[in-house]
Amino acid sequence: MTNLNTPALRSQRLNQSTHAPHERLDRAVKAHDPFASREHFTPFVVAQYLFQSELQALYQDAELAAIFPDLAERCRARQALADLADLGAPVPAPVPGAVQQPSLGEALGWLFVSEGSKLGAAFLIKRVAVLGLSESFGARHLGEPAGGRAEGWKHFTRTLDTLSLSAEEEAAAEAGALAAFERFATLLQHSYAIAARA
Ligand code: HEM
């Protein structure tokens, strides 16, 4: 029997199953008061850089690029790196525990979270102006993607939603999305802890 509470589209199911971790992460980001000063904002950028740089191999993966032709351009590691330079912050050392060779299903879940985070970025970019930052200085990784934010997300989810996956791959996508939220939370905590010690 069809469960009426289960959305038909994969992207909506992933949205639903990551609702609670997204709420927790949203609260964790805000608890660090990232818009209070550049010093408060910088560890957030460090976390974004670490997350994006850990996903670089996925964004460059040939099998995934065959599914999402514009995948390589979607990665924001380069922008986050430039943001760190703008903010005068050193390039952080890698943090053990990065995702390693995920299965196709898991990779889709990780990419869903990384791409979805560009939606929240629309709200965050509006608040960086008080810090003298913008999508061309210090907050490049939150900037509007070429072709538009909503359009980019629509293209990504349309492709994601039309892939035919086995039940096992489907479950792996959900596990990958949950792992991605957990990883970002870890990197956020790590980045602010390092900054507090400095
Ligand atoms: C690393 C992953 C993510 C991080 C760090 C993140 C962070 C945030 C933060 C801090 C906000 C609050 C912005 C504000 O109120 O000023 C937000 C809002 C939002 N995020 Fe995320 N997000 C992530 C992933 C996602 C994903 C996967 C999706 C969608 C599939 C998403 C969709 C949204 C949307 C639509 C908003 C706007 C308001 C709302 O509905 O809560 N985010 N995000």
Side-chain angles (χ1 to χ4, degrees), residues 2-7:
T2 311
N3 183 343
L4 293 176
N5 293 321
T6 303

Side-chain angles (χ1 to χ4, degrees), residues 11 15 18 22-23 25-27 29-30 35 44 48 51 112-121 123-124 127 153 180-181 184:
S11 59
N15 225 331
T18 58
H22 183 270
E23 285 289 300
L25 191 54
D26 180 354
R27 279 199 300 275
V29 168
K30 287 170 178 164
F35 306 107
F44 175 72
Q48 292 273 37
F51 189 71
F112 168 82
V113 173
S114 177
E115 288 303 304
S117 73
K118 292 175 178 173
L119 300 176
F123 295 80
L124 303 175
R127 305 191 54 192
W153 178 243
F181 271 107
F184 195 96

Side-chain angles (χ1 to χ4, degrees), residues 100-161:
Q100 297 293 343
Q101 301 184 332
S103 65
L104 173 71
E106 287 169 326
L108 294 172
W110 281 84
L111 290 174
F112 168 82
V113 173
S114 177
E115 288 303 304
S117 73
K118 292 175 178 173
L119 300 176
F123 295 80
L124 303 175
I125 190 77
K126 291 194 182 131
R127 305 191 54 192
V128 300
V130 294
L131 305 175
L133 306 177
S134 68
E135 63 179 30
S136 51
F137 184 84
R140 300 165 199 261
H141 76 281
L142 299 174
E144 171 113 31
R149 212 181 281 280
E151 290 73 11
W153 178 243
K154 244 181 266 162
H155 276 128
F156 177 79
T157 51
R158 202 179 299 141
T159 304
L160 179 67
D161 288 339

Side-chain angles (χ1 to χ4, degrees), residues 53-69:
S53 57
E54 290 178 1
L55 294 186
Q56 271 186 112
L58 290 192
Y59 276 102
Q60 286 160 12
D61 182 86
E63 190 187 356
L64 292 166
I67 299 172
F68 304 100

